[in-house]
């Protein structure tokens, strides 16, 4: 049967799609000994089908091999149990993309700014007060210990080495959340970096002042800004 030039491309496309679909279903292998392909003749029309040897249609084989997924991979993906492919990460990631785009957390946006922000601020104020009362006469405005001071390793300082800075960070973090201010949030992040560097300098001076006693304290209280128990929960 002879068909027009326009229809021959449609036939070829249908044959290609059919071959790929059957292979993905597991019914037909991709390589066969003889294959039916479209072949032009020396006229204004084309023959529908003619037989070619596999060596003469290697180009079609390479196209099919590169466009069809590996059946073993597809079977492995189907056998993977739900939850083992990291679906939770993808779900939370998508939710965060959405929340960042719309600029709020539906149902909880007002709660975060109205309650969470002030709660962080008040918690920070309490920690600053507690840190000051535990230090007593050892409190210094500078990054060096007082001359007549002593090492404090009890109270809130038995939980973290720099609770004063923790309280300050929580105060400004709460203020940033309560006022819904991205600029305050960025400045609070910059403040964290500064306080982290300052605390490292302070610990150098404390080690010079108290020697082995302070080194033992650093081993006993391993975290600078957060209690070990809280850090374990957040990082587990």
């Amino acid at each position: 049967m002879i068909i027009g030039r326009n229809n021959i491309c449609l036939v070829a496309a249908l044959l290609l799609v059919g071959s790929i679909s059957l292979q993905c279903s597991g019914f037909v292998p991709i390589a066969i000994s003889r294959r039916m392909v479209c072949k032009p003749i020396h006229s204004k029309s084309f023959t529908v089908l003619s037989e070619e040897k596999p060596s003469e249609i290697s180009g079609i084989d390479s196209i099919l091999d590169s466009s069809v997924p590996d059946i073993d991979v597809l079977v492995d993906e189907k056998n993977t149990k739900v939850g083992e492919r990291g679906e939770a990460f993808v779900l939370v990631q998508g939710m965060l993309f959405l929340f960042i785009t719309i600029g709020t957390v539906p149902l909880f946006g007002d709660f975060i700014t109205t309650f969470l922000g002030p709660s962080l601020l008040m918690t920070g104020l309490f920690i600053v007060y507690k840190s000051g009362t535990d230090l007593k006469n050892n409190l210094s405005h500078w990054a060096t210990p007082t001359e007549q001071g002593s090492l404090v390793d009890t109270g809130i300082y038995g939980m973290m080495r720099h609770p004063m800075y923790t309280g300050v960070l929580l105060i400004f973090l709460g203020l940033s959340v309560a006022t819904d201010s991205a600029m305050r949030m960025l400045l609070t992040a910059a403040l964290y970096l500064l306080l982290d560097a300052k605390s490292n300098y302070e610990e150098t001076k404390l080690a010079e002042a108290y020697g082995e006693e302070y080194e033992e304290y650093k081993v006993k209280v391993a975290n600078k800004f957060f209690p070990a128990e809280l850090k374990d929960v957040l990082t587990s």
Side-chain angles (χ1 to χ4, degrees):
M1 180 178 65
I2 307 298
I3 63 175
R5 183 173 300 178
N6 293 333
N7 292 333
I8 191 62
C9 295
L10 177 60
V11 173
L14 290 175
L15 288 173
L16 179 61
V17 172
S19 176
I20 295 175
S21 300
L22 289 174
Q23 194 228 0
C24 291
S25 301
F27 294 111
V28 178
I30 193 63
I32 54 177
S33 59
R34 303 180 71 84
R35 194 186 299 272
M36 305 298 291
V37 297
C38 300
K39 178 180 178 182
I41 59 174
H42 300 290
S43 66
K44 295 182 179 180
S45 301
F46 290 86
T47 57
V48 179
L49 298 172
S50 65
E51 292 188 353
E52 291 287 355
K53 296 180 180 179
S55 60
E56 297 176 355
I57 58 172
S58 58
I60 296 179
D61 284 340
S62 62
I63 294 174
L64 292 175
D65 291 340
S66 62
S67 61
V68 178
D70 191 345
I71 298 299
D72 294 335
V73 174
L74 295 176
V75 173
D76 290 340
E77 290 183 354
K78 291 180 180 179
N79 292 335
T80 303
K81 295 181 180 179
V82 175
E84 294 182 352
R85 296 174 296 181
E87 290 89 345
F89 291 105
V90 176
L91 176 61
V92 175
Q93 171 185 294
M95 293 173 63
L96 289 176
F97 284 170
L98 175 62
F99 297 159
I100 293 171
T101 301
I102 64 179
T104 186
V105 180
L107 302 179
F108 294 98
D110 293 337
F111 170 80
I112 292 174
T113 56
T114 305
F115 297 101
L116 181 60
S119 297
L120 290 172
L121 194 153
M122 296 302 296
T123 302
L125 287 172
F126 171 76
I127 293 176
V128 169
Y129 170 77
K130 178 63 175 171
S131 301
T133 56
D134 286 351
L135 280 178
K136 298 179 182 178
N137 296 331
N138 294 288
L139 181 61
S140 173
H141 299 290
W142 308 111
T144 55
T146 59
E147 294 182 0
Q148 303 299 325
S150 60
L151 181 62
V152 178
D153 57 0
T154 58
I156 197 169
Y157 284 88
M159 303 171 62
M160 44 191 160
R161 299 199 302 271
H162 298 275
M164 184 78 71
Y165 294 159
T166 300
V168 170
L169 290 171
L170 288 177
I171 289 172
F172 289 112
L173 177 61
L175 182 62
S176 302
V177 173
T179 58
D180 197 18
S181 173
M183 181 57 68
R184 283 195 176 100
M185 192 74 71
L186 291 174
L187 292 173
T188 301
L191 178 62
Y192 167 78
L193 296 176
L194 174 65
L195 293 180
D196 186 45
K198 183 183 176 184
S199 65
N200 290 334
Y201 178 80
E202 286 182 359
E203 293 192 344
T204 301
K205 295 301 181 180
L206 288 167
E208 294 176 358
Y210 301 112
E212 187 66 25
E213 184 181 4
Y214 189 74
E215 295 298 331
E216 293 176 357
Y217 170 67
K218 287 179 65 176
V219 174
K220 176 183 175 183
V221 182
N223 298 298
K224 292 198 297 184
F225 298 132
F226 299 99
E229 295 78 7
L230 178 60
K231 185 175 181 180
D232 292 340
V233 172
L234 295 177
T235 58
S236 61

